[in-house]
Amino acid sequence: MWQKLAWIAFAGAVGTLSRYALSGFVQKLCGEKFPWGTLAVNVVGCFLFGMVWALAEERLLLSGETRFIVLTGFMGAFTTFSTFAFESSQLVRDSEWLLAAANLISQNVLGLACVFLGFAVSRMF
């Protein structure tokens, strides 16, 4: 158990540092007017999530434990957007159109609303 937690923590540290490096590099390269760094991290994260999932599930090239460590540790620290995109894709794949739309809309609308709510609440103190 402790060894698995250590691997998840290590993968999380690598994911955090990778996010920082990629986001900063892309943002410097493309300019500050648009969040290009975040876009790059989210797009790369979705691609990597899909690759890891397929390598583990379809090609059996990664064990379930390795998949868990990579997706939870590295990808969880790199970007959670990839998890959101993957879960949405699974709903679409299963023809759960209403749930897919609800997930896409609620995550984005509630996420944005909660950022503004957080701003407002923090100003009360």
Side-chain angles (χ1 to χ4, degrees), residues 49-97:
F49 195 109
M51 260 185 62
V52 169
W53 187 267
L55 289 173
E57 288 295 307
E58 296 171 12
R59 302 184 109 210
L60 304 173
L61 295 175
L62 297 175
S63 70
E65 187 167 303
T66 300
R67 178 188 68 187
F68 182 79
I69 290 168
V70 171
L71 295 181
T72 302
F74 179 83
M75 296 305 301
F78 189 71
T79 175
T80 56
F81 184 81
S82 59
T83 302
F84 161 68
F86 173 76
E87 291 171 344
S88 297
S89 76
Q90 296 302 291
L91 291 169
V92 170
R93 180 199 68 194
D94 296 340
S95 298
E96 295 287 353
W97 307 110

Side-chain angles (χ1 to χ4, degrees), residues 6-28:
W7 276 112
I8 291 169
F10 174 75
V14 172
T16 297
L17 296 173
S18 298
R19 177 188 179 93
Y20 177 77
L22 178 61
S23 180
F25 174 76
V26 170
Q27 201 63 48
K28 280 184 183 179

